[in-house]
Each structure stands twice: as structure tokens, then as C-alpha cells.
Amino acid sequence: MKKLLALAALVLACTASMKAQVKVTCNGKEVATNEVVTFYADVDEGDGSGEVLAREPMIVNTGDEAVDLKVTVVIDRKLASENIFSWCGITGSCGEMSTFTETREAPLAPGQSTDMSLHANFKSGNYMTANANVTVMADDQYVTSFVLRYVYADPTGISQVKADNKGLLVNGNTLSYAFGSAAPRTISLYATDGRLVKRAATTAANGTVSLAGLQRGLYLATTGMGSSVKIMVK
């Protein structure tokens, strides 16, 4: 019995050690187990299709030893048949997810990070919320699980969108952004009738976007990387 207890304690200790060594982050903040990370699709001005091209979350090896990373993505079977998701992360190769589950493996050196880069593409007018369940393992030990949620919403329903305000703050006629790290991002502002009224591309971690010239009313600002904020221009 003592040997069994000792073995169980050793397994738990190894698992805890692996969780401490391998972390998942988004916008510079650690993603908790079972956390839902939400991305909002950018809507094309021409054909109305939606897409999310986020690189995050990032998987980071914070330890001093290399690990063999294994990441599994599971999606709804219907989404697989519609070819909504394409995966470019972990191994660096891009391909459509034509099956409901896919696993990718790659070595992760000490201090190295790799991106998920699970992208979503939505046909015009096919409004939906698509989820991807992600499980991360290292050296065949469980590290964490989380959900990536992709929202392609009818722009005319902006007033119903729940804003999470991560990294975005409105002060008067200025929209300020502050993310955990520098990365390519596109900040898009939508009116309640679905019109894209402003778009600003940035690679900086911090900065501002002027709201001057916008008519009074409610707007939605998104980064396509899990951040959104409702804006009331007065």
C-alpha cells in the first residue's frame, strides 16, 4: 500500500512539474485550465465573409529541459465537413481540418514558444459560433485543456455582443489598446448596422486609435484575437 501511495505521489508530482514547465498564454496572460478564449471574426467589406487569423494562444516551455509537445484539437463533426478551420500552428504547416480531430507533435526547446494559429473562415451570412477543444500534453503527460471560441456574428446584432474589454479601453474620443506583447493585429470598429467604419493595423503592444469623426452612437471594436469593447460615442 505504501508503495502504491508513493507511486501515486510521484505521478502527481511529475504532472505538477510539467504543468509548471509548459504554459499556455494569450495576450501575455496565462490561459487557465478549461478557460474559453474567444475570437471575433473580421468581416470582409466586399463579400461579407468572416475570418479569424489569430496566432495566439502561445505554448511556452519555461523550463530548462526540452519537451515533446503534443496538441490535440477536437471540433464538431459538422464543422469539419464545412472546412471552417485551418491549422497552421505547432508544426508550421498549414492545412484544413477535414476531420473532427487532429493531433500535432513537435519538440519544444527550453525557452521556446510555439503558436496555435488555428484559423477560422466563415462563408458570407453563415453566422455562427464555432468551438475547438484543445488538449496540451508534454512528454506524454497532461498539461492543460482549453476552448477556442470563434464568433462570426451578424453585424446588425452588435448590440447583443458581449464585450470582454481585454486590452481595450475607451477614454473620450480615443480607443487605447494595451496587450501583453507586440504582434500583428487589426483593430476594427463596426456600427450597429454592420458597417465597418474604421480599421487600424498595428504591430505595437500599446497605442491609441482616434475615434474623432465618428457619429454619435454605439460601436463595437474588435481585434479578432479575443478582445472586444462596446464604444458609445457621444
Side-chain angles (χ1 to χ4, degrees), residues 168-170 173-177 187 189 207-209 211 221 229 231:
L168 300 173
L169 179 66
V170 178
N173 283 330
T174 300
L175 174 67
S176 301
Y177 56 88
I187 299 174
L189 276 71
T208 60
V209 175
L211 303 178
V229 63
I231 299 169

Side-chain angles (χ1 to χ4, degrees), residues 91-146:
T91 62
S93 63
C94 292
E96 289 186 346
M97 284 195 65
S98 55
T99 59
F100 74 96
T101 182
E102 183 177 338
T103 297
R104 292 192 171 191
E105 301 181 39
L108 200 62
Q112 184 182 4
S113 64
T114 186
D115 54 86
M116 278 296 300
S117 285
L118 184 64
H119 302 158
N121 296 276
F122 301 94
K123 295 179 181 178
S124 179
N126 189 23
Y127 303 119
M128 67 170 67
T129 296
N131 293 336
N133 298 287
V134 183
T135 300
V136 179
M137 300 186 69
D139 291 343
D140 291 324
Q141 295 183 37
Y142 173 83
V143 175
T144 189
S145 298
F146 55 92

